[in-house]
Amino acid sequence: MNAGATGREVVLRVYRGDANGGEEVAYTVPVETGMVVLDAIHWIQAHRAPDLAVRWNCKAAKCGSCSAEVNGKPALMCKSRLDHFPEGQPITVRPMKTFPIVRDLVTDVKWNYEINKRIAPFQPRANAEWRWQQSDIDRVQEFRKCIECFLCQDVCHVLRSHELKHQFAGPRFLVRIAGLEMHPIDGADRVPFLKDTAGIGLCNITKCCTEVCPEGITITDNAIIPLKERVVDRYYDPVQRVWRAITGAKDGT
Amino acid sequence: MPVAPQRKLSAASAPTAVGARGVPATGTAPGAWSGAGSRQGFGATERGDAWWFKPVLQAAGLIVLIGYANYAAFLGAAHYRYLENGRDYLSPFYSPYIHPAWLPVWLSPALLILVFPLGFRATCYYYRKAYYRSFFADPIACAVGEPRQAYCGEVKFPFLLQNLHRYFLYAALVFLVILWIDVVKAFIFSAPALAAAAPAVTSALGLHAAREAASGGHYLAIGGGSLAILFSTGMLTLYTLSCHSLRHLVGGKLDCFSCAAAGGPRHKTWSIVTVLNGHHMAWAWWSLFAVCFADFLVRMCSIGVIHDPTLATFRHLLEMPNRSLSLLR
Amino acid sequence: MEKFEAHEHDVIVIGAGGAGLRAAIEASAMGCSVGLVCKSLLGKAHTVMAEGGIAAALAHVDPQDGWQTHFQDTMKGGSFLNHWRMAQIHAQEAPDRVRELEQCGALFDRTPDGRILQRAFGGHTWKRLAHVGDRTGLEMIRTLQDRGVHQGLDVYMECTITRLFTDGGRIAGALAYWRETGRFVVFRCKAVVIVTGGVGKAYRVTSNSWEYTGDGQALAYDVGAELIDMEFLQFHPTGMVWPPGVMGLLVTEGVRGEGGILRNAQGERFMWKYLPEARRHEYAADEAEARRWLDAVVEGRQTDARRPPELSTRDNVARAIYTEVKEGRGTPHGGASLDISYMPAERVKKKLPSMYHQFMELADVDITQTPMEVGPTTHYMMGGIRVDPDTGAATVPGLFAAGEASAGLHGANRLGGNSLSDLVVFGRRAGAGAASYARALAATPHIADDAIEAETRDVLAPFERTSGESPYGVHQALQECMDTFVGIFRVAGDLERALGTLETLKQRARDVRIEGSRMYNPGWHLARDLRNMLTVSEAITRAALLRTESRGAHSRLDHPGLDPALGRVNMCVTKDGEAMKVAPTPLPEMPAELKALFDAGAAGTAAAPAAAAPATAAAGKAS
């Protein structure tokens, strides 16, 4: 018997299926101390269903691979402790609902990579001095904590419920753009892109992305809203437009 | 036998097609990459927790407080100010008090100015979240199905107007100055000897007369209403200074603080606003409640339901002649 | 024969971690068509797990630093079994590679005067690790990933290479399958760069993810490449030991760099006992001196105090903890206590945020309040494919390697922080080497159809069987075998038993049966990975058996001392028909001018920390 065995058992209701449909299958799993949902899934793979499809890598909440919906909430399976769920009740594990299913818990997230390619890369300003203070980058370093688990994309109702992938880039990429736009010496202008391509106006700041972020990035308040304000500077602030017309100044200063 | 490659992540980036005017386009074909989420009906979810509780509570809170604000602004025009017992309490809903002669009797003067605080709150980044969730169910809770498929976020009228938030912020900052003057006034009591005469002449059109009648000298004092008005303005100040637009304007718009003119102070200011901004939701609720509470207290005193307690007087601290005080008024 | 997808590139890079991305970027910048193939999604490679930082003698914090000192530290840390030329190139080029990352948009933590901040790490004389809190690897991979995608790489995600093909001894291409659909892909190319990382998943207690199954080493071995130094497997001293689900999960060396103190169950700060006599003078003599060093680090100023004993090299700290536990002085869950809770909570959360959350969420331990429990965990393979230091070329024409999959830089033991710099320094060189080779080759070599067909049949065989066990059981047995017999301390008897067990496991692996379809079938994927793990496990064991001494990460209980004769050879593993051959090959001779560094340095290094006493203007103050 394992050192961490607790003698308890938990029932996992795991979605098994593919694009043609599927259903939840119940598995009873022995519980070890500190066990997470991903451990339970691995136990099922090793003992009950060797072909149970799941995507995972580090099992330490650092790579963002094992995204799924646990009891209906988008979460990393490696961070979902079994003892944080009500005892004696089954735990449902389903694939993310925003992306097309491949099989079981695996979804096709390649759309995200397609969007990422469209974002103008880092471009240092000409003659920039490569010196800045820690206080200049604290803000951006928060955005760069993103592990690309795509849980924010999964929970975002614009993508999930309204299916507007043709109009909206989703929170992940607004965070990425924020990281580039607020880089102390980046010189590229992504404001028109934000408005016309990334569709930042479609975000109605209801903050589900912030709620599910496993890295604790304050996506809405620190990334999206500041970017919305930059779009306002450029397009919706008549006084600034007049000021720019008179002085020839750029915004953001 | 080679099969056409389809699955690799190719680096060639296609030109970005901008859609119909005002409608963004990511370059993805409509309907491509769709998942199971869009097929969920309203309220459908595997969430087993009480996900409906927060939106319902939020809706109830907003209905009660906004309902009261409406009552106070429209119907209760007669009791927005309390001028008895040496007090001068003005309901925050009616500040700044502007009452032009052309205003019809049936129309509350509050409506002339309320558009500013109302607009500030309606376009506020926090309240937007609250009412989109509680009243539009867009979404009602995270990972829960929605009632409508159609959605245009904030890219079309009227929601496009949310972008004017900063103009309401400018107005709110002006209002703050006026509201703080009201706070000072709420702590300055008139001499009691003459104050007894005040109620007889108090009316919407006889304010000056009333004030003159009560002008037996002034002193610093604390009444229940003074604290309520201080609390109200204090919360409004925190709410206003924690505004996302303000955070942007004071420094958030900079990419490099240390490279900008006055970068140090701007970073400092931005940092302070950022700390306040972290509690923007709390200030939004507390300030809404505090304003209603201050109005309620003033109104109850004015109607005579409540007797405003005098908690402390500092007669020796501030005895000023009428003239200098009139600067404030 | 089933239909298959085919792609042709000049260069195929297998693996998309730091080295793979850097290699692909370089080859692509040189005008080659590059295909980047990885088993996971892009950006999930093990590089994201690297926490502490990237070692480069930038001399921003300690101005006395320079490539010579970095070179010396690397050689000493590797017990002089390193390829001197690799260590030299590495030390010389790392600063440029770090600056290059910054120019691609990486945001490292800053010094007060606005330059890249550096922190102390085990085995490094000076504060040398450029870092981003404790998520340096993530910053690096994201930076390279975005750079690569915008530069025109074709990325094949979730695609597993099963075999390399050669044509007249030259690399000609590879067969792969899409994990998602199970369909085959043939890559035709002129050169292959192997950057597949390590072999940790052959062990049960490991900091590595499922991907680290020795694919690259096994693929190269199969086409005749030489593997060297396979006996040198680094056990990171600090992995989590509790709860069971996270056993082995890495606790960054940054904890010790920030002042973490190791104690046994009796509260004894035991590391002083285990400092090797030859290097004892480099460490603080007592608690007070260690504390003075730490205070100086916190305040960001220079000091004449020497570093705490916890910052000894990884092999040494790992053995120390192992010994303490084995001799009955372990914590309740069989580890040592690592204490950072005496530092201000705010600093701990700021400097080690991931560690704080990792323990809080996975172990219910608040590291700002209570010590962590830690123990050794399989972490890094020093050995791997033998490469040419300047071009990354393996011993098979057209085959290149870099990063953890290659060998030579780290010798018998790797210093913390030297792996991230290894990735970018040698990733770039291997990419350039492959591109030059590919451009010089007129036509793409040919892959014989029957070779492809034979391989596809082999890969699909587990589906055909009507009986046989699941691969999970075999994997578990392999992990038990390696943990038990080829761990930190080794003896001939254990190693021989391991070889016997491996033989039976190879047979069991050949007979596994897979149920279900080819679509995203993890059991099937594991069956392929098992073959590679078994190959590298055998290489580790055979090389370990042959090295009858204790050096660096390789400790033989039956041969506890150094053997000078073995210090002049690498154990070289090659494929001899179907059998594995291991033989010593001579270590390249270090040129006189580099040797001179050590002759002068023996005195110089000892005196150096004292010479650092005067504070220098460039070092600034607070951090």
Side-chain angles (χ1 to χ4, degrees):
Chain A
M1 188 128 226
N2 196 306
T6 60
R8 284 185 292 117
E9 288 184 331
V10 66
V11 175
L12 258 72
R13 300 184 58 85
V14 184
Y15 184 85
R16 303 295 312 269
D18 53 27
N20 300 318
E23 58 179 358
E24 283 176 7
V25 178
Y27 300 96
T28 304
V29 179
V31 178
E32 276 186 351
T33 308
M35 200 171 188
V36 294
V37 170
L38 187 58
D39 289 321
I41 296 287
H42 284 160
W43 189 92
I44 295 168
Q45 274 186 336
H47 298 92
R48 298 285 180 272
D51 65 335
L52 170 59
V54 59
R55 194 183 265 136
W56 69 284
N57 273 47
C58 74
K59 221 178 93 55
K62 289 199 170 68
C63 74
S65 299
C66 62
S67 306
E69 300 192 1
V70 183
N71 276 359
K73 280 188 188 167
L76 292 180
M77 285 185 271
C78 69
K79 268 184 97 174
S80 303
R81 290 265 299 262
L82 292 181
D83 52 9
H84 289 180
F85 296 101
E87 210 179 319
Q89 286 176 29
I91 298 169
T92 63
V93 189
R94 282 176 164 258
M96 292 194 281
K97 287 198 177 66
T98 291
F99 306 108
I101 187 167
V102 174
R103 207 164 77 80
D104 301 343
L105 300 177
V106 177
T107 50
D108 184 349
V109 295
K110 276 194 233 52
W111 174 74
N112 296 291
Y113 292 86
E114 294 296 329
I115 291 293
N116 191 36
K117 282 188 307 202
R118 296 178 172 276
I119 299 170
F122 171 67
Q123 199 178 12
R125 277 198 308 273
N127 310 320
E129 200 191 348
W130 294 83
R131 285 204 181 203
W132 49 78
Q133 293 298 307
Q134 185 61 38
S135 56
D136 292 324
I137 57 169
D138 282 336
R139 195 170 42 156
V140 179
Q141 285 186 334
E142 180 191 5
F143 307 142
R144 298 186 65 104
K145 287 196 308 195
C146 173
I147 55 174
E148 296 202 327
C149 61
F150 304 128
L151 287 173
C152 57
Q153 305 286 78
D154 180 42
V155 82
C156 175
H157 72 125
V158 183
L159 303 172
R160 181 190 180 96
S161 303
H162 302 293
E163 201 54 75
L164 293 180
K165 296 190 181 75
H166 57 297
Q167 294 180 346
F168 186 53
R172 159 61 192 137
F173 296 105
L174 296 177
V175 166
R176 170 152 153 70
I177 295 171
L180 289 163
E181 279 292 293
M182 298 179 199
H183 189 295
I185 63 163
D186 177 75
D189 175 16
R190 299 172 194 81
V191 175
F193 179 89
L194 274 171
K195 176 174 164 286
D196 297 326
T197 305
I200 194 170
L202 282 164
C203 167
N204 71 345
I205 51 175
T206 36
K207 299 198 183 179
C208 285
C209 50
T210 307
E211 282 183 28
V212 301
C213 180
E215 282 291 304
I217 302 171
T218 317
I219 301 174
T220 318
D221 291 283
N222 288 352
I224 300 183
I225 293 174
L227 289 179
K228 274 186 174 250
E229 286 292 319
R230 287 177 185 222
V231 171
V232 174
D233 277 348
R234 181 74 57 89
Y235 295 101
Y236 302 111
D237 188 332
V239 174
Q240 286 208 31
R241 293 191 93 150
V242 170
W243 174 255
R244 279 199 301 273
I246 295 170
T247 62
K250 287 194 222 158
D251 51 41
T253 48
Chain B
M1 217 169 306
V3 171
Q6 297 170 339
R7 313 172 45 77
K8 65 180 178 178
L9 260 183
S10 162
S13 63
T16 304
V18 177
R21 188 176 154 73
V23 180
T26 60
T28 302
W33 309 95
S34 74
S38 58
R39 296 190 292 274
Q40 283 193 307
F42 181 43
T45 182
E46 282 100 42
R47 282 180 64 170
D49 58 340
W51 55 264
W52 45 268
F53 181 71
K54 220 176 133 185
V56 167
L57 184 72
Q58 205 164 246
L62 286 175
I63 287 169
V64 168
L65 292 175
I66 293 173
Y68 177 81
N70 272 291
Y71 159 78
F74 284 93
L75 303 170
H79 293 285
Y80 61 90
R81 193 166 191 190
Y82 181 53
L83 277 168
E84 292 169 41
N85 291 327
R87 272 82 164 155
D88 182 358
Y89 296 158
L90 179 63
S91 157
F93 285 126
Y94 286 78
S95 180
Y97 185 75
I98 301 168
H99 199 156
W102 47 262
L103 195 74
V105 187
W106 50 268
L107 197 60
S108 162
L111 299 182
L112 292 179
I113 52 139
L114 267 185
V115 62
F116 295 104
L118 193 70
F120 187 47
R121 283 183 194 257
T123 60
C124 161
Y125 284 101
Y126 167 68
Y127 283 105
R128 274 145 79 177
K129 172 200 166 186
Y131 62 73
Y132 287 140
R133 280 204 187 191
S134 287
F135 295 135
F136 291 78
D138 223 347
I140 189 147
C142 303
V144 175
E146 295 190 13
R148 295 171 306 276
Q149 179 77 49
Y151 175 80
C152 63
E154 299 183 335
V155 298
K156 286 187 182 163
F157 184 83
F159 296 110
L160 193 61
L161 296 179
Q162 307 282 29
N163 289 313
L164 295 178
H165 187 48
R166 61 180 57 174
Y167 284 92
F168 289 110
L169 166 71
Y170 301 145
L173 289 169
V174 174
F175 272 48
L176 271 191
V177 175
I178 296 163
L179 286 165
W180 275 108
I181 294 172
D182 289 342
V183 171
V184 173
K185 288 197 288 189
F187 281 87
I188 295 169
F189 285 23
S190 313
L194 290 172
V201 285
T202 301
S203 76
L205 295 173
L207 287 175
H208 277 284
R211 201 178 299 130
E212 291 309 313
S215 61
H218 298 84
Y219 60 94
L220 197 64
I222 303 173
S226 327
L227 291 182
I229 289 171
L230 172 67
F231 178 56
S232 156
T233 301
M235 286 299 126
L236 282 171
T237 304
L238 289 170
Y239 172 59
T240 309
L241 295 185
S242 64
C243 166
H244 290 85
S245 288
L246 186 66
R247 185 178 177 220
H248 170 74
L249 294 163
V250 297
K253 56 173 21 184
L254 297 174
D255 290 341
C256 179
F257 294 105
S258 65
C259 328
R266 290 172 85 175
H267 179 258
K268 186 84 198 153
T269 317
W270 175 80
S271 303
I272 294 167
V273 175
T274 295
V275 170
L276 292 174
N277 181 260
H279 307 283
H280 197 50
M281 177 178 91
W283 309 135
W285 281 103
W286 276 112
S287 62
L288 186 59
F289 169 76
V291 169
C292 290
F293 181 72
D295 176 274
F296 178 76
L297 210 67
V298 170
R299 199 166 293 277
M300 289 303 111
C301 291
S302 172
I303 294 171
V305 177
I306 292 176
H307 176 75
D308 184 51
T310 303
L311 302 171
T313 54
F314 306 94
R315 222 170 267 274
H316 56 287
L317 267 183
L318 183 75
E319 266 190 74
M320 56 173 80
N322 213 13
R323 260 174 292 114
S324 56
L325 195 63
S326 67
L327 290 174
L328 271 175
R329 308 200 157 188
Chain C
M1 191 158 111
E2 106 170 46
K3 283 187 179 180
F4 57 81
E5 192 181 318
H7 299 279
E8 186 163 335
H9 289 283
D10 296 324
V11 178
I12 288 290
V13 177
I14 309 174
L21 284 162
R22 189 64 191 84
I25 288 168
E26 193 68 16
S28 160
M30 288 173 67
C32 285
S33 139
V34 179
L36 183 61
V37 188
C38 51
K39 287 211 286 189
S40 285
L41 295 173
L42 185 59
K44 306 295 182 198
H46 218 282
T47 307
V48 299
M49 298 285 287
E51 293 161 344
I54 172 166
L58 293 160
H60 286 176
V61 177
D62 289 329
Q64 307 90 329
D65 203 5
W67 76 262
Q68 293 89 344
T69 326
H70 192 180
F71 168 75
Q72 285 171 286
D73 288 343
T74 304
M75 292 297 295
K76 284 189 210 163
S79 298
F80 293 88
L81 212 63
N82 327 49
H83 192 308
W84 65 268
R85 177 64 184 148
M86 287 184 90
Q88 183 190 26
I89 291 174
H90 170 253
Q92 286 173 333
E93 293 185 359
D96 279 345
R97 297 288 82 75
V98 171
R99 280 188 279 267
E100 184 180 84
L101 282 172
E102 184 171 79
Q103 282 153 15
C104 294
L107 281 168
F108 293 100
D109 288 355
R110 311 310 283 184
T111 62
D113 64 340
R115 299 187 297 167
I116 296 172
L117 181 64
Q118 297 178 278
R119 67 157 59 122
F121 235 55
H124 290 282
T125 304
W126 306 112
K127 294 184 202 71
R128 191 176 281 150
L129 269 74
H131 60 277
V132 186
D134 55 6
R135 47 166 198 87
T136 316
L138 174 65
E139 182 76 8
M140 196 164 126
I141 203 161
R142 207 61 84 221
T143 304
L144 291 171
Q145 172 188 344
D146 289 330
R147 173 66 175 229
V149 164
H150 283 100
Q151 197 174 306
L153 305 179
D154 286 332
V155 184
Y156 303 84
M157 300 195 294
E158 300 200 303
C159 185
T160 304
I161 303 270
T162 70
R163 187 172 294 277
L164 300 180
F165 297 118
T166 51
D167 176 13
R170 289 177 177 282
I171 288 293
L175 184 78
Y177 64 85
W178 291 110
R179 300 175 74 81
E180 218 174 79
T181 58
R183 301 251 155 227
F184 289 109
V185 199
V186 170
F187 292 104
R188 301 180 196 281
C189 62
K190 297 172 179 170
V192 163
V193 185
I194 290 184
V195 270
T196 52
V199 305
K201 267 298 156 189
Y203 288 77
R204 190 171 59 87
V205 181
T206 176
S207 63
N208 293 182
S209 81
W210 67 266
E211 287 196 286
Y212 288 71
T213 51
D215 297 2
Q217 291 89 336
L219 288 170
Y221 167 83
D222 273 338
V223 291
E226 294 178 4
L227 307 181
I228 56 167
D229 295 342
M230 292 299 284
E231 68 275 31
F232 296 110
L233 185 62
Q234 181 170 74
F235 294 86
H236 194 289
T238 57
M240 289 175 81
V241 296
W242 188 260
V246 293
M247 185 183 270
L249 193 58
L250 197 63
V251 177
T252 176
E253 190 166 334
V255 174
R256 282 171 287 141
E258 295 293 338
I261 293 174
L262 284 166
R263 289 202 178 84
N264 60 24
Q266 295 154 7
E268 180 195 1
R269 190 169 182 176
F270 57 80
M271 270 316 297
W272 268 296
K273 284 193 302 197
Y274 296 91
L275 290 176
E277 282 312 315
R279 303 194 68 175
R280 187 175 287 279
H281 63 268
E282 295 173 25
Y283 297 90
D286 50 28
E287 297 252 0
E289 187 177 353
R291 181 70 211 205
R292 274 196 293 130
W293 179 89
L294 181 61
D295 289 341
V297 168
V298 172
E299 290 159 26
R301 59 178 162 77
Q302 297 288 296
T303 175
D304 59 352
R306 292 165 297 178
R307 57 189 190 270
E310 280 80 10
L311 289 177
S312 178
T313 51
R314 286 181 174 173
D315 53 338
N316 197 38
V317 183
R319 275 192 298 267
I321 296 176
Y322 182 89
T323 308
E324 286 294 313
V325 175
K326 196 147 197 188
E327 292 177 0
R329 294 185 296 276
T331 54
H333 298 116
S337 120
L338 176 61
D339 189 9
I340 189 93
S341 65
Y342 68 96
M343 295 289 284
E346 277 320 302
R347 182 173 168 89
V348 173
K349 285 187 204 169
K350 166 93 183 139
K351 291 306 234 180
L352 304 160
S354 312
M355 283 303 110
Y356 173 73
H357 290 294
Q358 183 173 315
F359 274 89
M360 203 64 161
E361 283 157 18
L362 301 176
D364 299 323
V365 168
D366 181 351
I367 64 168
T368 65
Q369 301 300 322
T370 35
M372 296 159 248
E373 270 187 274
V374 296
T377 174
T378 312
H379 184 54
Y380 187 90
M381 177 43 111
M382 266 74 70
I385 302 163
R386 187 200 286 275
V387 292
D388 171 61
D390 293 85
T391 62
T395 46
V396 172
L399 188 64
F400 296 79
E404 191 175 353
S406 68
L409 169 62
H410 308 295
N413 177 44
R414 175 177 71 86
L415 298 187
N418 269 3
S419 63
L420 287 187
S421 40
D422 175 13
L423 302 184
V424 277
V425 168
F426 292 103
R428 174 179 158 276
R429 278 184 170 265
S436 307
Y437 171 89
R439 286 199 305 195
L441 213 61
T444 307
H446 176 71
I447 307 175
D449 279 351
D450 53 348
I452 296 173
E453 206 181 327
E455 176 62 10
T456 55
R457 256 202 318 273
D458 188 42
V459 175
L460 293 177
F463 286 107
E464 311 293 324
R465 294 187 191 110
T466 48
S467 66
E469 64 178 316
S470 139
Y472 293 95
V474 185
H475 187 206
Q476 213 171 354
L478 170 66
Q479 292 184 327
E480 286 303 323
C481 166
M482 294 304 283
D483 264 12
T484 315
F485 300 126
V486 202
I488 293 189
F489 287 105
R490 298 152 178 186
V491 285
D494 280 357
L495 295 170
E496 274 152 9
R497 277 176 73 183
L499 283 177
T501 311
L502 288 174
E503 274 314 306
T504 60
L505 289 176
K506 273 198 266 183
Q507 191 51 52
R508 281 170 69 184
R510 269 195 288 272
D511 293 340
V512 295
R513 171 172 172 247
I514 302 300
E515 293 168 71
S517 77
R518 283 160 67 181
M519 273 184 74
Y520 220 112
N521 189 332
W524 181 42
H525 303 161
L526 178 61
R528 294 307 299 172
D529 296 343
L530 252 183
R531 193 188 59 166
N532 300 330
M533 279 187 271
L534 283 162
T535 304
V536 293
S537 297
E538 186 181 344
I540 294 168
T541 313
R542 287 192 188 280
L545 195 55
L546 207 57
R547 187 169 285 280
T548 48
E549 64 162 350
S550 292
R551 180 183 296 272
H554 173 69
S555 305
R556 285 281 297 262
L557 287 175
D558 45 354
H559 298 277
L562 281 171
D563 178 345
L566 288 173
R568 291 190 288 273
V569 293
N570 299 111
M571 296 304 161
C572 176
V573 177
T574 46
K575 193 173 183 181
D576 185 16
E578 281 311 298
M580 184 177 281
K581 194 177 85 182
V582 191
T585 55
L587 190 70
E589 182 83 1
M590 195 188 301
E593 72 266 23
L594 290 179
K595 270 192 187 149
L597 280 176
F598 293 95
D599 301 338
T605 319
T616 43
K621 34 180 214 316
S623 63

